Amino acid sequence: MQRQGILRDLAAARIYLLDHRAANYLDSLRMDVQGMPWENTEESQIKDYLRDIDFPRDCVWIEYDSRQLWKDRITRGLSTMSEEDLNDHHQRAFLIDNRSPDEMTIRLFDALTDFAFLDSPLTLVLDKSQDGRPDLDGGNWHLQQNVVTTRLQLTSGDQQSKVADYLDTHKGHLSYEMVIGFMLFAALAAREDDLLCQDTPSLSAAEERTARKFGKSWMIETLRSHVTIRIGPAGERHLTERMARRHFEEARASGRATPTEHWVAEHERRYANGKVVRVRAHQRGKLELTSYPSGWWGPG
């Protein structure tokens, strides 16, 4: 019954597939609002921002490559995840259901392989305020007992402890990663060239012919499409700026940064061997932060 419910929700959902550059861009925008992990930023700042984001559809499925996103986070200096841990990541998707006037539900599905998703063991339920906005300060976790029972059957040793750790990890991933879904719709609403959208049929012409040939009417009764999200020119400029800024700050912290452009007055330089050299007035260094654009903040 649970899987039938998930299939019904998927049939009603609008599908958004992010390429890895788009996912990296949205994650970077999140850090602009939320602040870096080492910064002491109030959680209310990101919560207030997310609360006011409008969803274009009441039920959406948002999917991206989790492994590539974590590799991009390593490149941006946000993680030190090992290659072994990276191998545990595949596709990741969120099913966000906003159809109820009283609550929003969010479920996280992780891929076990490149072709199969695991059932979601928990559902995050967010109550809505009178204006229909989700309350991000609270939230209730609804356990899918059949998924947990299956997990218990696949573990050995201290089963209760392993399942508890598994659920805590899932809660952390869902709470942290779901922000990407919100940022997607903030970016789509704010600017035209941050992200590029393409409506793509879910079945190619060849796949449709094959389904008809073998009588798989359930695949072609209601032909569907999904939205492919790729990064746009403005998004690329944003990522380029962020990477250049990171390299600049690392160089400045290590003392290897090129001096900021300044004027050196005429002076004498005296050496230990008694030699005296008159140095003419000149400019030295480079203009500060000229290697990348400035003032780019992402969607407002």
Side-chain angles (χ1 to χ4, degrees), residues 16-69:
Y16 294 86
L17 305 182
L18 309 180
D19 77 348
H20 74 274
R21 292 291 290 169
N24 189 28
Y25 167 65
L26 294 172
D27 193 56
S28 179
L29 291 185
R30 178 254 291 280
M31 304 316 298
D32 288 340
V33 180
Q34 184 174 341
M36 294 298 180
W38 52 85
E39 295 176 344
N40 188 21
T41 307
E42 293 291 335
E43 285 190 6
S44 58
Q45 181 173 327
I46 183 67
K47 289 179 179 178
D48 291 342
Y49 183 88
L50 298 180
R51 185 179 182 275
D52 293 330
I53 294 175
D54 293 318
F55 281 54
R57 296 285 289 267
D58 289 334
C59 191
V60 296
W61 170 277
I62 303 165
E63 183 179 335
Y64 57 91
D65 187 336
S66 177
R67 185 176 190 274
Q68 185 60 52
L69 178 58

Side-chain angles (χ1 to χ4, degrees), residues 1-147:
M1 291 180 63
Q2 181 206 1
R3 289 186 174 180
Q4 288 176 351
I6 292 174
L7 291 175
R8 285 194 298 269
D9 291 340
L10 280 174
R14 186 61 164 146
I15 309 297
Y16 294 86
L17 305 182
L18 309 180
D19 77 348
H20 74 274
R21 292 291 290 169
N24 189 28
Y25 167 65
L26 294 172
D27 193 56
S28 179
L29 291 185
R30 178 254 291 280
M31 304 316 298
D32 288 340
V33 180
Q34 184 174 341
M36 294 298 180
W38 52 85
E39 295 176 344
N40 188 21
T41 307
E42 293 291 335
E43 285 190 6
S44 58
Q45 181 173 327
I46 183 67
K47 289 179 179 178
D48 291 342
Y49 183 88
L50 298 180
R51 185 179 182 275
D52 293 330
I53 294 175
D54 293 318
F55 281 54
R57 296 285 289 267
D58 289 334
C59 191
V60 296
W61 170 277
I62 303 165
E63 183 179 335
Y64 57 91
D65 187 336
S66 177
R67 185 176 190 274
Q68 185 60 52
L69 178 58
W70 278 105
K71 290 177 69 174
D72 290 333
R73 285 171 175 161
I74 293 172
T75 301
R76 288 189 279 129
L78 298 177
S79 174
T80 57
M81 186 179 292
S82 66
E83 189 67 28
E84 182 180 357
D85 291 333
L86 281 173
N87 290 333
D88 293 333
H89 288 264
H90 299 278
Q91 292 294 109
R92 174 168 282 176
F94 284 89
L95 184 58
I96 303 177
D97 189 343
N98 198 31
R99 290 174 290 183
S100 170
D102 301 319
E103 61 188 27
M104 171 188 282
T105 63
I106 305 175
R107 283 171 282 183
L108 167 62
F109 296 83
D110 279 310
L112 181 62
T113 67
D114 290 336
F115 306 101
F117 278 94
L118 293 170
D119 285 330
S120 177
L122 293 165
T123 299
L124 175 60
V125 180
L126 301 174
D127 294 329
K128 290 183 179 179
S129 56
Q130 292 183 350
D131 60 359
R133 300 292 182 177
D135 180 11
L136 297 170
D137 289 323
N140 301 310
W141 295 97
H142 290 188
L143 185 69
Q144 301 298 337
Q145 189 59 52
N146 60 321
V147 179

Side-chain angles (χ1 to χ4, degrees), residues 25 29 191-196 231-241 293 296 298:
Y25 167 65
L29 291 185
R191 291 185 173 82
E192 296 182 355
D193 59 350
D194 287 19
L195 298 172
L196 304 178
I231 195 169
E236 287 287 3
R237 290 195 297 270
H238 175 86
L239 290 182
T240 300
E241 175 201 346
W296 180 261

